[in-house]
Amino acid sequence: MKTLPAPAQRRLVLLAQLLSQQKTRKITSSMIENLTGWSSSLIRRDISFLNFTHGVSNGYDVAELRAAICDSLGIENTDTEDIRRCCIVGLGRLGAALLDNSLFSETPFRITVGFDSSVNRTEVLRSTFPLYPLSRLELTVSDMGLQFAILCVKEDLAQETASRLVNSGILGIVNYSRAIISVPSGVFVENISPVTALINLSVRVAGRD
Amino acid sequence: MKTLPAPAQRRLVLLAQLLSQQKTRKITSSMIENLTGWSSSLIRRDISFLNFTHGVSNGYDVAELRAAICDSLGIENTDTEDIRRCCIVGLGRLGAALLDNSLFSETPFRITVGFDSSVNRTEVLRSTFPLYPLSRLELTVSDMGLQFAILCVKEDLAQETASRLVNSGILGIVNYSRAIISVPSGVFVENISPVTALINLSVRVAGRD
DNA sequence: CGGTGTGAATGCTTTCACAGCC
DNA sequence: GGCTGTGAAAGCATTCACACCG
């Protein structure tokens, strides 16, 4: 098996999510094409990277295929074992809205701690896990051995906070701010600011000749 | 000028954002490489698609380059003209957190209306623009001629709501839910659920051999 | 020199097309 | 007959390498 190309990896993540919603028991590559717009041969190629040998020729078994993708990507969505604990940094309106582990049900992720510069906010907000002042970030992240952070601080603090996270051992950052943050190699960032998303949409809409 | 490749387009959007943060007046492709991890020749190639002829050989003028990117992508960040009006659908904790146009300052986007199935929420939440019950979605979206929507409804309503948006003329959807939504060709979706982002990070972290 | 801009080469990704299987 | 899985071809994106410029 060749190594999984990055675009294929991202499609497979979405495909796994699509399969969890799927009501039917079987699905064919052209049904997936209709749902996603990706060509059926591309989908078959993506699936072939999983070396998932299903045997039958009349489509994929939805549950089996999803399991094969999760298995291959290491994203078993068990609720019990192999949980990845994450922190949220910045508990403004947006950060506070994400303090809700029901968003992560049936995934291997759990929010286990939040940080904010305002002690007022860490004390007023209710959650099932601790909320600490920013000053305890380094200590807590390294003690808990966290690898993932959700960054919801304001633009002007984004780089500084990201660096502190990286220095404490964080390997992946979900960046909700518009700021572009620099991280050393081996650390990854997913930029999901609504502004970036709207700009990308706008360019794509304009570009459809 | 050849047409802009999709990966280059996405990098340029991020580059424009990076340039807005940049403190220096000049920047070279290898400074950008250090900040972003993209190779300097790739950056020069991306910029060459703009047919931006800057003249000098000791780096790019930050402001000029940013203007050239925005111009070429049609994302002038004026606050006055050519504003794209957007709606938010679903005013739970997350949707309500985005009802804040200060998130979109210095961009051509403005939230101009919100919708929720709960009349209670549309009446209790405060905002500078109207909040309506979901039943008024079609009428309002087509009356206002909106092209962009931010979708924050729960998973089980995502597809149905997206279809209603598309039928009302929406061309681009920022999807905050985990649900994968199907749209006809000519309509675009950006999936930015925190769950998807974490999964992608987790796969990339695991894959760094 | 220390930089850009760009043909040409390389390396990836996607599509084509068809054998093989149920 | 309809679908998968996959070599081989085609099409894209990235890197190389170097002419050229201030």
Side-chain angles (χ1 to χ4, degrees):
Chain A
M1 164 186 166
K2 286 285 192 53
T3 64
L4 186 62
Q9 179 256 290
R10 298 185 88 88
R11 282 189 299 268
L12 285 171
V13 167
L14 294 178
L15 179 55
Q17 290 178 186
L18 184 147
L19 292 171
S20 342
Q21 306 164 216
Q22 185 65 18
K23 294 300 195 303
T24 62
R25 215 172 57 78
K26 291 278 197 166
I27 196 165
T28 66
S29 56
S30 55
M31 289 164 74
I32 302 174
E33 170 167 343
N34 288 334
L35 292 168
T36 62
W38 309 322
S39 81
S40 67
S41 63
L42 181 55
I43 291 154
R44 294 199 302 278
R45 176 74 65 190
D46 287 349
I47 292 172
S48 79
F49 285 106
L50 308 172
N51 44 348
F52 163 63
T53 47
H54 71 308
V56 278
S57 77
N58 59 334
Y60 303 94
D61 181 287
V62 170
E64 272 179 23
L65 178 55
R66 220 220 36 194
I69 295 172
C70 291
D71 187 38
S72 166
L73 299 180
I75 50 171
E76 296 308 338
N77 44 6
T78 160
D79 278 61
T80 52
E81 54 177 84
D82 195 28
I83 292 297
R84 279 106 160 148
R85 291 170 306 159
C86 312
C87 62
I88 299 193
V89 190
L91 304 175
R93 284 223 275 178
L94 183 58
L98 298 171
L99 285 179
D100 174 7
N101 268 314
S102 75
L103 293 171
F104 301 92
S105 64
E106 296 178 67
T107 75
F109 302 97
R110 291 294 177 283
I111 311 295
T112 56
V113 59
F115 301 98
D116 197 282
S117 56
S118 150
V119 179
N120 189 35
R121 272 193 287 219
T122 58
E123 285 179 351
V124 164
L125 288 166
R126 290 281 109 222
S127 81
T128 54
F129 44 82
L131 305 180
Y132 294 134
L134 253 196
S135 53
R136 294 192 48 181
L137 186 145
E138 282 83 353
L139 216 62
T140 314
V141 168
S142 50
D143 266 14
M144 290 181 130
L146 303 185
Q147 299 194 331
F148 301 99
I150 299 180
L151 187 61
C152 301
V153 300
K154 284 217 231 62
E155 265 183 80
D156 50 356
L157 272 178
Q159 179 62 63
E160 179 197 331
T161 312
S163 302
R164 291 176 63 184
L165 287 165
V166 170
N167 289 333
S168 318
I170 288 289
L171 295 176
I173 299 178
V174 176
N175 178 21
Y176 271 93
S177 90
R178 284 149 82 173
I180 305 302
I181 59 185
S182 292
V183 294
S185 79
V187 180
F188 301 90
V189 178
E190 294 279 320
N191 290 301
I192 60 173
S193 128
V195 172
T196 310
L198 280 172
I199 294 177
N200 278 318
L201 279 179
S202 153
V203 175
R204 291 165 72 193
V205 166
R208 74 191 199 308
D209 303 348
Chain B
M1 164 184 165
K2 287 285 191 50
T3 65
L4 187 63
Q9 179 256 288
R10 299 183 88 88
R11 281 189 300 268
L12 286 171
V13 167
L14 295 178
L15 179 55
Q17 291 178 184
L18 184 147
L19 293 171
S20 340
Q21 306 165 215
Q22 185 65 19
K23 294 300 194 306
T24 63
R25 213 171 61 76
K26 291 279 196 163
I27 197 167
T28 67
S29 57
S30 55
M31 289 164 73
I32 302 174
E33 170 168 343
N34 288 333
L35 291 167
T36 62
W38 309 322
S39 81
S40 66
S41 64
L42 181 55
I43 291 154
R44 293 200 303 277
R45 175 74 66 192
D46 287 350
I47 292 172
S48 80
F49 285 107
L50 309 172
N51 46 347
F52 163 63
T53 48
H54 70 307
V56 277
S57 75
N58 59 333
Y60 303 95
D61 180 287
V62 170
E64 273 179 22
L65 179 55
R66 219 218 39 193
I69 296 172
C70 291
D71 186 38
S72 167
L73 299 180
I75 49 171
E76 295 309 336
N77 43 8
T78 162
D79 278 61
T80 53
E81 52 177 85
D82 195 26
I83 291 299
R84 281 107 160 144
R85 290 170 306 159
C86 312
C87 62
I88 298 194
V89 191
L91 304 175
R93 284 222 275 176
L94 183 59
L98 298 172
L99 285 179
D100 175 6
N101 268 314
S102 75
L103 293 171
F104 301 92
S105 65
E106 295 178 65
T107 75
F109 302 97
R110 290 295 176 284
I111 311 295
T112 56
V113 59
F115 301 97
D116 197 282
S117 56
S118 151
V119 178
N120 189 35
R121 273 192 287 219
T122 58
E123 285 179 350
V124 164
L125 288 167
R126 289 280 108 222
S127 81
T128 54
F129 44 81
L131 305 179
Y132 294 134
L134 253 194
S135 52
R136 294 192 49 181
L137 186 145
E138 282 83 352
L139 217 60
T140 312
V141 168
S142 50
D143 267 15
M144 289 181 131
L146 303 185
Q147 299 193 332
F148 301 99
I150 298 179
L151 187 61
C152 301
V153 300
K154 285 217 230 62
E155 266 183 79
D156 50 356
L157 272 178
Q159 179 63 61
E160 180 196 330
T161 312
S163 302
R164 292 176 61 184
L165 287 165
V166 170
N167 290 334
S168 317
I170 289 288
L171 295 177
I173 299 177
V174 176
N175 178 21
Y176 272 93
S177 90
R178 282 149 82 173
I180 304 302
I181 58 185
S182 292
V183 294
S185 78
V187 180
F188 301 90
V189 178
E190 294 278 322
N191 290 302
I192 60 174
S193 127
V195 173
T196 310
L198 280 172
I199 295 177
N200 279 318
L201 279 179
S202 151
V203 175
R204 291 165 72 192
V205 167
R208 75 191 196 309
D209 301 349

